[in-house]
Amino acid sequence: MTLNDVGQGMGYAPFLVGVGLAAVAVWAVWWVVRYLRADAMTRQSIRQAVRVRRTWKRLAQMLKLCATDKMPTALASLANTDGKPVKPRILVPSLKVTHDAYGVIARAGCLPGVGLEQYKKAAPHLADAWRCTRVAVTQDEPGSVVIRGVRLDPLKFPTEHRPTGSVPEKVARWELGVDEYAQPVSVDLRQVPGVTVAGLPGKGKTSLINRLLSDWAPAPWVQFACADGKVSAAYEGDYYAWVKRMFAFVGDDLEEANKLFKRLVDLRRKRHALVQAVLGAKSMWDVGPSEKWPLVVLIIDEAHTYFRDYKGRDQRSKDLAAFAAENARLVEDLVKKGRSVGILVILATQKSTGDAIPTFIRDVCPVGLSFAQKTAEAAVAALGEDIREWPDANPINLQDPAYVGVASMNHQSQPGFTRIRTPFVPDEWAEEIAHATNHLTADPAELLPAVDLTKTDPDDDGPVPLAA
């Protein structure tokens, strides 16, 4: 290399420095603009994320989240000319931090001896150091952990949900809201025969169901029916806007409800008779719901209305008691036998004790949620005995007005119970979706080929579908 070549190389240096400075300036402007455009809560989270990154190396060592490597590297061994022992290296886990309005989300690397358990043990200290209300540590892939720190309690901030009017991307996925770490919570209702929703009046039960209707109504693969025990006629209640998107609706009349439940049991029997011939499978979920074979969702609000044990010797009381007993038997049939042919029952009541929802129905429903409850008995009835072991998630602690719309549930993807903030769907938004999707309503029974349930096939003793 000649001096001239060196001089030419030196001539590029100012240009490269200028490019580097320009890139730094662009990044700084972008960061400042993003900060200024953020709301006050997000700005605080941005500052929090910067502080977490800046202090991580020192904090990790203080909390013993580091590893000591006593074996010198090859380069260190070559550089060691005086024969003294090489100092061990302190390995600090990598940390990438993002933020949202509620706090920070950090992905930390794992090291030998520093894994999920060590991070969980350090979580309370991380919460103090990062000035968070709570910190949760999970592992979504080998070699790293996700540390979620919330500065503000997401459960205390009411939220609204604006339905998109689009067909859901995932079939039978119920988006519920966010948990106590502001992470989205959903429940997969495929292969689920029944759901129970309990809670005191005005705490969020109907709003929760309203979101399901708003999100699922645009899908041609779902049809709804409803029995609303709070009203005598649809115009009196919460589901008036949805009546035209439902193929059937009844109020608190036990006889009318009985007719609806019989109608759905008859649909269940016909579907069982035809599922193999029409779908080529023993279960609808093997192929998924479709416009011709939709998922049927039966909503029973204030379910205790239809199962109440009427007392009295007069004829009217006897008639009501008979209807209630048969209603329980019919709904039991739907919950226990309807799953494979695409029938889902959602039962909502204030207190899901055995007198409100018979235990032979309630205990078969694998998904249960509970808004605020006044007694431990009601909490156990809604969520099972295990809720006693999770006092922080017990719905008896949700009676404060700040927790309207907050429910406890047994999470499908993790052990124990979690609390979720369910969003409110304003009536005008729900009405828009209901009006736009009315044309999708169809009676599932009318979509089926004819079937004679009185005839049986001598080979399998089952009903014989009539020729098309």
Side-chain angles (χ1 to χ4, degrees):
M1 180 180 293
T2 66
L3 290 174
N4 187 44
D5 293 334
V6 173
Q8 289 181 350
M10 292 293 289
Y12 286 112
F15 173 75
L16 296 176
V17 171
V19 171
L21 291 175
V24 171
V26 169
W27 175 85
V29 170
W30 172 81
W31 193 94
V32 170
V33 170
R34 185 181 65 158
Y35 180 81
L36 293 177
R37 294 183 63 183
D39 56 70
M41 289 172 55
T42 303
R43 288 182 189 178
Q44 194 170 351
S45 295
I46 292 174
R47 295 194 297 270
Q48 182 183 22
V50 171
R51 187 173 63 251
V52 167
R53 294 188 195 98
R54 189 180 68 247
T55 61
W56 172 243
K57 286 189 176 181
R58 175 172 291 183
L59 180 61
Q61 293 184 59
M62 295 170 66
L63 296 181
K64 298 181 180 179
L65 294 177
C66 297
T68 302
D69 185 359
K70 296 182 179 181
M71 179 173 289
T73 63
L75 184 61
S77 299
L78 291 173
N80 184 21
T81 58
D82 55 8
K84 294 181 179 179
V86 178
K87 289 184 178 181
R89 292 184 302 148
I90 303 298
L91 304 180
V92 179
S94 60
L95 188 77
K96 295 181 180 180
V97 186
T98 58
H99 65 272
D100 60 15
Y102 296 100
V104 295
I105 306 169
R107 181 176 291 277
C110 295
L111 296 172
V114 182
L116 179 62
E117 292 305 316
Q118 286 69 35
Y119 281 106
K120 283 185 174 180
K121 186 177 179 181
H125 306 294
L126 289 172
D128 291 336
W130 292 354
R131 302 173 192 172
C132 291
T133 301
R134 61 178 76 95
V135 163
V137 181
T138 57
Q139 189 166 33
D140 59 350
E141 61 182 36
S144 66
V145 298
V146 177
I147 308 172
R148 173 54 165 161
V150 289
R151 187 183 66 261
L152 303 170
D153 188 350
L155 301 179
K156 292 187 177 180
F157 289 85
T159 57
E160 289 186 345
H161 172 65
R162 182 68 185 256
T164 64
S166 302
V167 177
E169 294 182 2
K170 295 184 178 180
V171 172
R173 172 74 64 175
W174 190 2
E175 302 293 339
L176 297 173
V178 297
D179 64 13
E180 50 205 300
Y181 296 96
Q183 299 303 294
V185 178
S186 62
V187 59
D188 187 353
L189 295 182
R190 292 176 301 171
Q191 300 283 5
V192 171
V195 176
T196 59
V197 182
L200 296 173
K203 294 299 184 180
K205 299 187 300 295
T206 302
S207 180
L208 176 72
I209 296 172
N210 198 33
R211 177 175 183 178
L212 181 141
L213 289 166
S214 299
D215 287 347
W216 286 14
W221 46 257
V222 63
Q223 297 295 338
F224 302 100
C226 180
D228 188 356
K230 297 193 299 293
V231 300
S232 297
Y235 67 84
E236 301 173 352
D238 300 301
Y239 302 106
Y240 180 55
W242 291 107
V243 169
K244 291 185 179 180
R245 183 59 180 92
M246 297 175 174
F247 68 88
F249 179 92
V250 297
D252 59 3
D253 187 301
L254 266 67
E255 185 174 0
E256 291 301 312
N258 186 261
K259 292 178 182 178
L260 171 60
F261 299 152
K262 284 182 177 178
R263 177 179 168 186
L264 290 172
V265 168
D266 184 61
L267 171 67
R268 194 273 306 161
R269 295 180 63 215
K270 288 179 178 178
R271 281 191 164 190
H272 266 115
L274 294 167
V275 63
Q276 188 73 47
V278 175
L279 301 182
K282 292 184 178 180
S283 171
M284 182 272 284
W285 293 111
D286 291 340
V287 296
S290 64
E291 189 171 354
K292 292 297 183 181
W293 193 295
L295 171 64
V296 176
V297 179
L298 170 61
I299 299 166
I300 308 178
D301 204 343
E302 300 298 336
H304 53 273
T305 302
Y306 307 104
F307 308 133
R308 175 183 168 188
D309 186 14
Y310 285 86
K311 304 293 184 182
R313 296 184 178 181
D314 60 287
Q315 189 57 45
R316 181 57 179 165
S317 295
K318 292 180 180 179
D319 290 343
L320 291 174
F323 281 130
E326 189 174 20
N327 287 342
R329 180 184 62 79
L330 294 169
V331 174
E332 178 189 17
D333 179 285
L334 293 173
V335 173
K336 290 186 175 180
K337 301 178 182 179
R339 174 186 57 81
S340 63
V341 293
I343 297 177
L344 168 67
V345 182
I346 300 176
L347 303 109
T349 187
Q350 297 177 23
K351 192 170 69 169
S352 56
T353 49
D355 56 338
I357 300 179
T359 55
F360 52 78
I361 296 175
R362 184 193 70 197
D363 294 346
V364 183
C365 297
V367 177
L369 300 94
S370 180
F371 292 85
Q373 296 287 359
K374 291 187 70 174
T375 65
E377 174 198 14
V380 169
L383 300 172
E385 285 288 341
D386 287 349
I387 190 61
R388 298 184 189 274
E389 306 300 322
W390 297 80
D392 289 344
N394 198 309
I396 62 176
N397 298 320
L398 300 177
Q399 297 181 54
D400 189 296
Y403 289 120
V404 171
V406 177
S408 296
M409 69 171 292
N410 190 338
H411 205 299
Q412 287 182 317
S413 62
Q414 62 190 44
F417 296 83
T418 187
R419 296 176 296 172
I420 57 172
R421 159 63 68 178
T422 62
F424 175 68
V425 181
D427 291 341
E428 57 270 24
W429 294 351
E431 289 171 7
E432 287 179 12
I433 300 297
H435 179 73
T437 58
N438 288 343
H439 66 284
L440 297 175
T441 306
D443 187 337
E446 296 178 359
L447 301 174
L448 293 174
V451 59
D452 187 351
L453 296 176
T454 63
K455 293 184 178 181
T456 59
D457 188 325
D459 294 330
D460 61 7
D461 294 328
V464 177
L466 299 178

